[in-house]
Amino acid sequence: MNAPLALLAELTHRCPLRCPYCSNPAELTRASAELTTAEWSRVFTEAAALGCLQTHLSGGEPTARRDIVDITAAAHQAGLYTNLITAGVLLDAALLSRLTAAGLDHVQLSVQDADTTNAENIGGMPGAHARKRTAAQLVREAGLPLTINAVVHRQNLHNLQAIIDLARAWGAARLEVAHVQYYGWALANRDALLPTRAQLDEATRIVNAARGELRIDYVVPDYHAHRPKPCMGGWGSRFLAVAPNGDVLPCHAAQSITGMVFPNIRDTSLHDAWHHAPAFNRFRGTAWMPAPCQGCERAEIDWGGCRCQAFALTGDAANTDPACALSPHHAVLADALEKAATNTFRYREFS
């Protein structure tokens, strides 16, 4: 069995932004249920022993935790490369200085658009865009590498070239252009977010034309696909996540599969969760696959696609991902595209 290469540490679900495509589950973990500093320190030590090379400190907004500096130090001391995934709106010079001293290696800053008005409409936080610009400047001045992460969809794709120009102007070494993936809050807002085929084709053209000027990672949507992506390189294969409440997950969206029981770091070790938990072994390899995946020449390329998407669209995580044209459920994607006709968001927020 492969060792996981990366750990996504979801430190909290708290966030001052309200993005309607947030990858957090619809049921958000309260602060009182979050892992403590000491518990996160144990997670990082066990992750390094398991073979992880890096950790992504994420959320929600990870800097909403008062102990974010101590958490970063614990990850660094465990020998992990540390990447802070942040909205930047709570990041100031004093905090960044402390994080850098604690061993922070990299910052990934999210933007909602290059246009201030639209960016703040999408994120649901007035004044956020200017704070992000300041955060980017602080990261550059601290000498840390900066990645800009832009989640794109029907409401901002018309500004994609401007987003690329913004990433270059803000001093990013890398840009991630990630089309929305439809789980959790994004699934609830799918009708407002799904791009048209013409938008997707134009976005792909713009990204390809900009390559070379800036390192760009491009994540395309599944709803226009004929074959699924190899989600996370295969379920429980190269990646694991720990949720704010300590649940150990094979991907960040796995909690959306209702009825599946995941191990919790408060009850088990990361090693035992990775190697022995039924939830991790449920979709490993190819033996679990139904037709048409079973025996398909792509079975060990795309691993049947995304289990979370299969569940979201068919109600059964064991079904072939509807992104595959061979799936008996493939038509649900076309139906969703036809119904995408609203510009109204249901914002992410605690109820």
Side-chain angles (χ1 to χ4, degrees), residues 123-350:
M125 181 184 174
H129 195 68
R131 294 188 187 189
K132 291 172 181 287
R133 185 187 303 111
T134 299
Q137 180 179 349
L138 292 173
V139 171
R140 294 200 316 271
E141 291 173 351
L144 292 173
L146 172 66
T147 292
I148 295 293
N149 177 57
V151 177
V152 294
H153 46 83
R154 194 168 80 234
Q155 306 301 329
N156 65 3
L157 274 169
H158 59 286
N159 286 330
L160 179 54
Q161 183 59 59
I163 291 171
I164 294 171
D165 294 341
L166 176 148
R168 190 181 298 110
W170 285 12
R174 174 175 164 264
L175 170 65
E176 180 176 304
V177 177
H179 284 267
V180 169
Q181 306 298 303
Y182 294 95
Y183 325 106
W185 294 93
L187 186 61
N189 285 286
R190 187 176 64 182
D191 287 350
L193 297 169
L194 271 173
T196 65
R197 182 66 200 217
Q199 283 183 307
L200 172 59
D201 290 344
E202 177 64 4
T204 302
R205 184 196 67 77
I206 290 171
V207 166
N208 288 337
R211 293 189 190 278
E213 305 170 23
L214 184 69
R215 179 182 171 188
I216 301 178
D217 293 335
Y218 187 47
V219 181
V220 298
D222 287 328
Y223 279 61
H224 293 283
H226 292 284
R227 292 291 182 268
K229 297 190 294 291
C231 188
M232 298 299 174
W235 179 277
S237 178
R238 308 298 284 175
F239 176 91
L240 81 163
V242 176
N245 69 345
D247 282 350
V248 187
L249 310 168
C251 80
H252 64 280
Q255 285 175 311
S256 66
I257 305 176
T258 57
M260 180 166 274
V261 178
F262 296 99
N264 191 284
I265 198 64
R266 287 170 168 149
D267 304 319
T268 189
S269 69
L270 210 58
H271 177 277
D272 284 350
W274 177 259
H275 286 281
H276 305 302
F280 273 78
N281 287 313
R282 175 65 180 88
F283 298 117
R284 276 184 169 136
T286 60
W288 63 272
M289 291 180 176
C293 295
Q294 190 61 247
C296 176
E297 62 182 11
R298 293 182 57 85
E300 295 187 13
I301 297 174
D302 59 37
W303 304 103
C306 178
R307 298 302 89 223
C308 303
Q309 183 157 271
F311 180 81
L313 296 179
T314 75
D316 187 347
N319 281 335
T320 299
D321 186 340
C324 181
L326 300 177
S327 165
H329 303 283
H330 185 64
V332 301
L333 303 185
D335 291 342
L337 288 167
E338 288 181 6
K339 294 174 182 177
T342 180
N343 293 328
T344 302
F345 294 137
R346 175 191 169 196
Y347 285 103
R348 172 209 190 273
E349 56 191 344
F350 285 107

Side-chain angles (χ1 to χ4, degrees), residues 85-103:
I85 301 177
T86 179
V89 296
L90 303 180
L91 198 62
D92 58 25
L95 177 56
L96 186 58
S97 177
R98 294 172 62 212
L99 288 168
T100 303

